Amino acid sequence: MGIASFCVLMVSLLLVGVSVLFVMNVEILLGSIENKNEIVVFLNYDFPENKVNEAENTLKSLSNVSEVSYRPRDEALNRLIDQMDVNGSVYERVKGDNPLPNAFNVKVKDTSKITETVSQLNALSFTDDIKAPTEFAKVLNKLKKVVSIVSTALLVALITVSLIMISNSTRASVYSRRREINIMKYVGATNAFIRIPFFFEGLFTGLVSGVGASAVTYYVYTMVMDIITNDVSLWKTIGVNEPLPFSEVKYFVIALYLCTGAIIGAIGSVTSTTKHLQV
Amino acid sequence: MVELKNVSVAYNKGHNVINNIDMHIDDGDFTFIVGASGAGKSTLIKLLLKEIDASEGVVMVNGYNLRTLKKSRIPKFRRTIGVVFQDFRLIPTMTVYENIAFVLRVINAPRSYIKKRVSYVIGLVGLKNKIKSFPTELSGGEQQRVALARALVNDPKLLIADEPTGNVDPELSQEIVGLLKAINQCGTTVVMVTHEHELVKHFGGRLVNINQGTVIYDDFIDGEAESYNNMDDSL
């Protein structure tokens, strides 16, 4: 295996690695959108304040509920006034006789079960009304499924293509050694004996390509992140988490490159010897 | 020992390249196999090396029944055979020493044994002064002698030489067959395929003539050579 195999393998690894990083960032993006997916449970207007803790515990006991926070009616009114900005002063007059109900903000663990959870919340005695983003949750779940399927298919396709590419590029180097393989077969070498040097050669090329791909990814990813995270307020405005910094994924990326490189290199190199072993 | 009973080989249905051959070669025999191009000589060699399988019949080589021999056992079987080819098949990137030594490395022989054995067989073929040379630095005759040393290094029971003189001039041809004869005198069974009838006449011995996949002659003939043993005193 020579420089050509090294380059082919490194490019293949970069394709795999960039795809994985892209998918990871998309998942983070979807996760932060999902986190904003809150259900508001409005309590009956005359629900006594001293029973709020009891109600909170009831909500927390539901299997799909991850977080519950109480939102008293005064807080809700203040927030409404803030949100309305200048026009909010109109509501200042109703402060003494606040018409808004007390409420709980409820976060769910799994948005795909949000309809089921809404039904459970509706059945509770203290619930007056519910505001739940069920349609949005449905779209989000569909999107997550699509991302999951597309990313899996992309990875399988990239790894398969990498295997074929590396197998082809090593075929030339194996072809130049076909005479050696042929003679080895005639003098009684086992297939394993013949394949071992090719296996280690492929493994080594894979590891070196992995190191190369890690370095390239580090520089390119860091550069891209510097550009897109330059304006922190952008992410706050959009309301989603910032993309993953390289420091958080470096061990994963390096391990991914080294393992994938070693496996693809070794398998690709060994399979290209098969044709010449039929003596 | 080589034994072929009612052996036929057909590459295409209906056309036998080897046609119902019976042949018995005892341990220690020297056998010339001659025949025109396309007579089936190469197919016979491939058969003896288990490179191909017989369509019919039984092929026994060095105690192995090649028709029932499992793929996993082929390497062990081939270690009992030495092969010399017309085109030498030396590895150009290896020195003479390495070309011979790698046969023993294949069977995981100890390093000290490899060194001793390789030096011995290089001496047998008279190439001690070329031990560090590469094949491209050698003449055709020298290359064939390296190939011969490689075939011998594993101390095979049977040595198969497929047109070993095909790429060397007539004088060197006699030298190579002389070496093979001397090797045979040490107890190794030798099967040599050739189309050079003059060589056979010169050395004599058992002659098997194949034509269109069938044995048409199988008998001993007298040779003209006085003694091939004198060709290399080291043997």
Side-chain angles (χ1 to χ4, degrees):
Chain A
M1 292 177 105
I3 302 278
S5 306
F6 165 77
C7 293
V8 166
L9 194 47
M10 199 172 85
V11 170
S12 307
L13 287 176
L14 282 171
L15 286 172
V16 173
V18 168
S19 307
V20 168
L21 284 172
F22 178 74
V23 169
M24 282 171 82
N25 277 303
V26 168
E27 277 178 358
I28 284 196
L29 191 75
L30 291 176
S32 52
I33 293 171
E34 193 175 21
N35 262 341
K36 305 203 171 301
N37 217 349
E38 271 185 350
I39 301 172
V40 184
V41 179
F42 297 104
L43 304 182
N44 294 325
Y45 196 80
D46 52 357
F47 187 73
E49 290 277 346
N50 58 1
K51 287 197 172 178
V52 165
N53 282 344
E54 199 180 310
E56 190 172 335
N57 289 336
T58 308
L59 291 172
K60 280 179 179 170
S61 68
L62 297 175
S63 60
N64 194 33
V65 170
S66 64
E67 266 181 64
V68 177
S69 58
Y70 181 59
R71 198 184 68 186
R73 56 169 63 103
D74 291 341
E75 192 188 309
L77 183 62
N78 284 337
R79 194 185 288 178
L80 182 68
I81 291 166
D82 284 348
Q83 281 172 2
M84 297 302 285
D85 205 12
V86 182
N87 298 330
S89 56
V90 176
Y91 294 96
E92 292 283 349
R93 282 181 243 160
V94 295
K95 261 193 171 174
D97 190 19
N98 186 351
L100 298 176
N102 292 320
F104 283 107
N105 287 349
V106 175
K107 281 187 180 173
V108 291
K109 293 174 189 165
D110 183 358
T111 49
S112 65
K113 293 176 185 168
I114 198 163
T115 315
E116 202 179 293
T117 309
V118 167
S119 305
Q120 286 173 331
L121 294 171
N122 259 326
L124 297 170
S125 59
F126 52 78
T127 305
D128 177 49
D129 196 7
I130 283 175
K131 196 178 88 183
T134 47
E135 287 310 309
F136 181 68
K138 275 180 195 168
V139 172
L140 195 67
N141 281 310
K142 269 186 189 168
L143 198 62
K144 275 172 75 182
K145 269 184 193 167
V146 169
V147 167
S148 165
I149 291 167
V150 169
S151 60
T152 309
L154 193 69
L155 274 181
V156 171
L158 281 174
I159 288 173
T160 311
V161 168
S162 303
L163 265 172
I164 294 168
M165 278 164 69
I166 196 67
S167 187
N168 277 334
S169 73
T170 54
R171 197 159 288 170
S173 108
V174 171
Y175 184 76
S176 65
R177 286 164 67 180
R178 72 194 185 286
R179 180 180 282 261
E180 199 178 327
I181 294 172
N182 187 271
I183 296 162
M184 280 186 173
K185 286 293 286 182
Y186 279 121
V187 299
T190 58
N191 288 352
F193 181 90
I194 295 167
R195 277 174 165 155
I196 282 170
F198 289 100
F199 173 83
F200 282 109
E201 214 174 284
L203 195 78
F204 179 73
T205 309
L207 290 174
V208 174
S209 307
V211 172
S214 300
V216 172
T217 306
Y218 168 73
Y219 284 112
V220 174
Y221 190 84
T222 310
M223 200 172 71
V224 172
M225 282 305 117
D226 279 351
I227 296 167
I228 63 174
T229 58
N230 197 22
D231 188 2
V232 181
S233 61
L234 170 78
W235 301 98
K236 281 188 177 164
T237 311
I238 300 170
V240 293
N241 294 341
E242 280 183 36
L244 279 167
F246 192 77
S247 57
E248 266 186 41
V249 288
K250 64 181 173 191
Y251 294 118
F252 169 74
V253 170
I254 292 168
L256 174 82
Y257 279 145
L258 294 183
C259 292
T260 316
I263 292 168
I264 291 177
I267 293 176
S269 184
V270 164
T271 50
S272 55
T273 61
T274 306
K275 186 186 164 191
H276 302 286
L277 293 174
Q278 313 301 323
V279 179
Chain B
M1 190 264 287
V2 177
E3 181 140 36
L4 283 83
K5 281 184 188 167
N6 306 321
V7 174
S8 294
V9 177
Y11 288 129
N12 301 311
K13 272 187 177 176
H15 175 66
N16 284 353
V17 184
I18 296 283
N19 200 6
N20 202 28
I21 278 185
D22 283 304
M23 194 190 294
H24 181 91
I25 299 171
D26 268 326
D27 286 341
D29 276 1
F30 190 107
T31 309
F32 284 109
I33 296 176
V34 296
S37 292
K41 302 188 303 285
S42 297
T43 304
L44 188 66
I45 296 296
K46 283 181 180 174
L47 206 56
L48 297 182
L49 289 170
K50 179 74 180 167
E51 209 177 311
I52 56 166
D53 284 317
S55 318
E56 282 171 45
V58 178
V59 181
M60 294 287 294
V61 179
N62 292 343
Y64 289 88
N65 183 342
L66 300 194
R67 281 208 77 182
T68 56
L69 187 68
K70 286 182 182 170
K71 269 194 169 182
S72 58
R73 303 261 299 163
I74 293 175
K76 204 177 173 188
F77 155 69
R78 285 188 180 156
R79 290 171 197 175
T80 67
I81 299 175
V83 201
V84 179
F85 298 97
Q86 181 179 356
D87 58 353
F88 323 129
R89 298 199 192 176
L90 299 175
I91 299 162
T93 52
M94 290 184 181
T95 63
V96 167
Y97 180 90
E98 287 162 347
N99 260 290
I100 300 166
F102 100 96
V103 176
L104 294 174
R105 289 199 191 108
V106 161
I107 58 166
N108 289 322
R111 195 172 284 185
S112 56
Y113 174 76
I114 294 175
K115 208 173 170 184
K116 208 170 142 186
R117 181 72 188 160
V118 173
S119 298
Y120 173 69
V121 292
I122 287 178
L124 280 184
V125 297
L127 286 175
K128 265 193 173 162
N129 56 335
K130 303 278 184 179
I131 203 160
K132 287 180 181 169
S133 302
F134 286 91
T136 47
E137 297 164 357
L138 303 176
S139 68
E142 285 172 333
Q143 288 191 53
Q144 195 57 295
R145 281 198 274 163
V146 177
L148 200 54
R150 186 183 62 196
L152 284 177
V153 75
N154 206 13
D155 197 16
K157 285 184 185 173
L158 170 67
L159 182 68
I160 296 173
D162 187 6
E163 304 266 12
T165 57
N167 274 345
V168 293
D169 56 47
E171 278 177 31
L172 287 170
S173 296
Q174 292 207 354
E175 193 182 314
I176 284 163
V177 182
L179 273 171
L180 288 171
K181 280 280 187 181
I183 290 159
N184 172 248
Q185 291 243 311
C186 297
T188 307
T189 312
V190 177
V191 175
M192 177 175 156
V193 172
T194 184
H195 62 271
E196 294 179 58
H197 291 268
E198 290 306 313
L199 270 180
V200 182
K201 276 184 201 166
H202 183 77
F203 285 95
R206 183 177 173 190
L207 173 67
V208 177
N209 195 346
I210 298 175
N211 188 27
Q212 293 186 330
T214 312
V215 175
I216 56 167
Y217 181 87
D218 187 352
D219 209 345
F220 286 85
I221 59 162
D222 292 328
E224 297 158 358
E226 286 175 8
S227 171
Y228 31 78
N229 235 6
N230 298 333
M231 296 197 75
D232 193 332
D233 292 336
S234 61
L235 283 167

